[in-house]
Amino acid sequence: MISVSPADGTKKAAFTSPVTVTVTDGTLASVEVTGNDGSTLEGTLDAAKTTWTSTTHPYSGTKYTVTARAAGADVAQTTTFVTKAPGETFVGYFTPEANSTSGVGMPVSIDFTHAVSDRAAVEKAITVTAEPAVEIVGHWFSDTRLDFRPETYWAAGTTVTLSLRLKDVEGTDGVYGTQSKDVTFHIGREQISTVDLSAKRMVVRRDGATLATYPVSGGSAEHTTWSGIMVISERFEETRMESSTVGLGDEYDISDVPHAQRLTTSGTFIHGNYWASTSVFGSQNTSHGCVGLHDAKGANDSSVPGYKFYAASMLGDVVVVKNSGERTVDPANGLNGWNLSWADWKAGSAL
């Protein structure tokens, strides 16, 4: 006699334990477990060949058919069961987008829709691989954010694959992941721009060679610019900037800031500036914390530095700010985990 667990006809079977098939008289010749989603469950026989156990758990919300045959039997025995749906679920929203091309500083950043208490289980279910191969490690910035990066910037031309195997992973008590997918994105050319706010200039280097040098204006003594390594996380040909959104009252409200590229979540941008005198750039730091380049109103004058730098940039490009008179930016403030040493980065992994 062959018995199957979950039993034949079960409507709300658990998906948190393996499927087992046992024969009480003789040995098992074959076992197949297939889901209505086309998946199959692999398994192993014990030494006596009387018990088969699936090596992974069944998926939630899936109907399974178990076909088992005992040695010497002419007919296989077939049973079915349906696993219950998870109650509460979570997903991870990831950056960068699938099939996109980014600069060499772009980490893989995942924001979860529910706080994760079992960080090890969730991190184990996510892998990031690169071609050419390089060691990539995860770092938890909070119970809802997990980033991945290599020790140094990605090599230009790298292909990166994010594999999410979160389906039915219990992130916290009774809350399960739903995603099982692979996402690929690409790394373009290497562009690293260094802003020296003592010299008030920015040197843009691409693939190791100097592409351009621009006069800039950074944060004033009262509103210093964060120092450290920052990564472009958003780009706007034109955007509105209001001082009230960054805790500075009604000091400014500019509806059409040209060529704005975000460097921190807290509101640091490198952007074009048409309202300051041209003489400011390269000679004075006058901003409220952003890095400004001379630009033209309307964002369509291709001869000005703001336009040129924007046109030469992409998401994931690196901007390094030094001599700003301010401390290093918090690594969690934007996609700026490069400010952590490799040892400190790895210490933030749950694995």
Side-chain angles (χ1 to χ4, degrees):
M1 177 179 171
I2 294 174
S3 60
V4 177
S5 179
D8 187 28
T10 302
K11 296 296 187 205
K12 292 184 178 180
F15 56 85
T16 54
S17 53
V19 177
T20 60
V21 180
T22 304
V23 63
T24 53
D25 187 15
T27 59
L28 286 167
S30 64
V31 176
E32 289 183 3
V33 182
T34 56
N36 63 349
D37 59 354
S39 64
T40 59
L41 291 182
E42 301 300 320
T44 57
L45 280 168
D46 64 356
K49 295 187 177 181
T50 58
T51 300
W52 179 96
T53 305
S54 66
T55 51
T56 58
H57 297 168
Y59 285 135
S60 62
T62 304
K63 181 178 181 180
Y64 284 94
T65 300
V66 181
T67 306
R69 189 172 63 84
D74 294 329
V75 180
Q77 178 177 314
T78 300
T79 64
T80 63
F81 65 89
V82 179
T83 51
K84 64 182 177 182
E88 203 172 347
T89 61
F90 73 93
V91 298
Y93 291 105
F94 52 83
T95 299
E97 292 182 4
N99 302 315
S100 61
T101 298
S102 301
V104 298
M106 178 63 81
V108 177
S109 184
I110 304 168
D111 286 301
F112 300 106
T113 55
H114 195 289
V116 172
S117 58
D118 193 343
R119 293 184 179 186
V122 169
E123 188 176 340
K124 187 178 179 182
I126 301 171
T127 55
V128 180
T129 54
E131 182 60 46
V134 64
E135 183 185 10
I136 301 164
V137 176
H139 180 98
W140 290 88
F141 282 114
S142 71
D143 57 10
T144 58
R145 178 179 169 189
L146 172 63
D147 284 19
F148 289 84
R149 54 158 264 216
E151 182 173 3
T152 57
Y153 304 137
W154 305 103
T158 295
T159 296
V160 181
T161 301
L162 165 65
S163 296
L164 295 168
R165 295 295 179 267
L166 291 169
K167 184 169 173 61
D168 298 337
V169 172
E170 194 170 19
T172 195
D173 287 349
V175 183
Y176 296 89
T178 62
Q179 295 158 295
S180 184
K181 65 192 298 184
D182 292 333
V183 177
T184 298
F185 70 94
H186 307 281
I187 302 298
R189 78 289 177 274
E190 178 191 76
Q191 182 165 299
I192 299 170
S193 303
T194 302
V195 177
D196 184 339
L197 289 181
S198 176
K200 302 167 190 68
R201 70 171 188 165
M202 175 172 67
V203 178
V204 182
R205 291 177 64 82
R206 179 176 293 179
D207 297 325
T210 299
L211 180 71
T213 301
Y214 298 116
V216 298
S217 180
S220 67
E222 295 77 31
H223 303 290
T224 45
T225 305
W226 292 116
S227 66
I229 302 165
M230 289 172 257
V231 172
I232 295 174
S233 59
E234 280 188 294
R235 305 179 73 234
F236 304 97
E237 191 171 345
E238 278 189 321
T239 192
R240 182 179 184 179
M241 290 188 179
E242 288 182 90
S243 53
S244 61
T245 64
V246 291
L248 293 174
D250 57 359
E251 291 198 25
Y252 59 87
D253 182 357
I254 305 167
S255 63
D256 57 353
V257 177
H259 302 124
Q261 303 188 89
R262 182 183 292 277
L263 301 179
T264 70
T265 307
S266 63
T268 309
F269 283 78
I270 183 164
H271 63 76
N273 177 328
Y274 64 79
W275 52 91
S277 166
T278 309
S279 63
V280 164
F281 304 98
S283 65
Q284 298 176 60
N285 289 321
T286 60
S287 82
H288 290 82
C290 290
V291 176
L293 298 91
H294 173 57
D295 209 325
K297 188 176 177 69
N300 52 19
D301 181 348
S302 61
S303 71
V304 292
Y307 184 107
K308 290 178 179 178
F309 179 64
Y310 183 87
S313 300
M314 65 170 59
L315 293 173
D317 278 351
V318 176
V319 177
V320 182
V321 176
K322 63 181 187 179
N323 297 325
S324 69
E326 184 52 87
R327 64 187 185 280
T328 300
V329 66
D330 184 329
N333 187 1
L335 302 177
N336 299 329
W338 301 103
N339 293 287
L340 289 172
S341 70
W342 188 230
D344 287 343
W345 181 267
K346 292 171 86 170
S349 168
L351 303 179

